[in-house]
Amino acid sequence: MSTVSYYTAEGLKKLREELDYLKNVMRPKASQDIADARDKGDLSENAEYDAAKEAQGMLEMRIAKLEEIHSNARLIDETHLDVSKVLVLSKVKIKNQTNGMEVIYTLVAESEADLKTGKISVTSPIGKGLLGKSVGEVAEITVPNGVLKFDILEITRE
């Protein structure tokens, strides 16, 4: 049973590009690797052939997985999102009540999360804790080493 995943236009484009690359570049290369290994003689003692076949199998599994993800991907229409609450694609400025540190996170789908660029998954503990909150509310988020309290300072859209 497959689950629906929500993507930004950028995230969906990256998914399509990876799928196209695997199908149009890596798949022909894997076939060529098998053909080259087959030309080297006896297949029963040809480790290069076995390795090429195994690599092709792994590639085909990755392609099948990405095709399933792509077929269940839905593009998020940002024009219909409520800006008064934290939702997917919200850019949220929060302040840690313990140390006073302020950070800005953009909540995205799990596949697009990248902490280096400030994008956190809506399925992460912090992402889950922020969803549905409004400016002025306090988000109490349970993390492995306790409970963090964040003041919601600002909610914007990109």
Side-chain angles (χ1 to χ4, degrees):
M1 182 150 181
S2 51
T3 58
V4 173
S5 298
Y6 293 95
Y7 286 86
T8 61
E10 176 188 348
L12 195 56
K13 181 179 179 235
K14 284 181 184 176
L15 179 67
R16 284 186 188 130
E17 287 172 353
E18 181 181 0
L19 188 54
D20 288 344
Y21 175 76
L22 292 176
K23 284 179 159 182
N24 300 322
V25 176
M26 296 306 293
R27 186 181 268 166
K29 182 186 178 310
S31 295
Q32 186 60 47
D33 290 347
I34 290 171
D36 291 346
R38 188 181 307 125
D39 292 341
K40 293 186 179 176
D42 184 12
L43 297 181
S44 65
E45 295 180 12
N46 191 334
E48 193 173 325
Y49 176 78
D50 292 339
K53 287 293 282 182
E54 187 173 329
Q56 181 189 39
M58 298 297 282
L59 175 66
E60 291 301 325
M61 283 177 28
R62 178 74 180 142
I63 289 171
K65 178 73 174 158
L66 287 178
E67 284 178 334
E68 180 184 347
I69 291 169
H70 186 263
S71 69
N72 293 308
R74 301 293 178 266
L75 185 63
I76 299 170
D77 183 1
E78 297 180 50
T79 60
H80 292 85
L81 296 177
D82 182 3
V83 292
S84 67
K85 290 189 228 167
V86 178
L87 302 170
V88 175
L89 298 185
S90 293
K91 189 175 219 174
V92 186
K93 184 176 185 179
I94 58 176
K95 180 178 179 181
N96 187 324
Q97 287 185 348
T98 306
N99 61 15
M101 188 173 151
E102 291 183 8
V103 284
I104 298 174
Y105 290 125
T106 302
L107 274 70
V108 295
E110 190 170 347
S111 59
E112 295 182 62
D114 180 11
L115 196 54
K116 291 178 198 166
T117 59
K119 294 180 178 181
I120 61 169
S121 168
V122 292
T123 59
S124 69
I126 293 176
K128 284 180 186 176
L130 294 175
L131 284 176
K133 300 289 189 233
S134 301
V135 173
E137 286 190 63
V138 174
E140 291 188 18
I141 301 167
T142 303
V143 293
N145 59 339
V147 175
L148 298 175
K149 293 183 181 180
F150 295 104
D151 294 321
I152 311 295
L153 303 177
E154 186 179 331
I155 302 169
T156 57
R157 297 272 179 254
E158 301 264 308

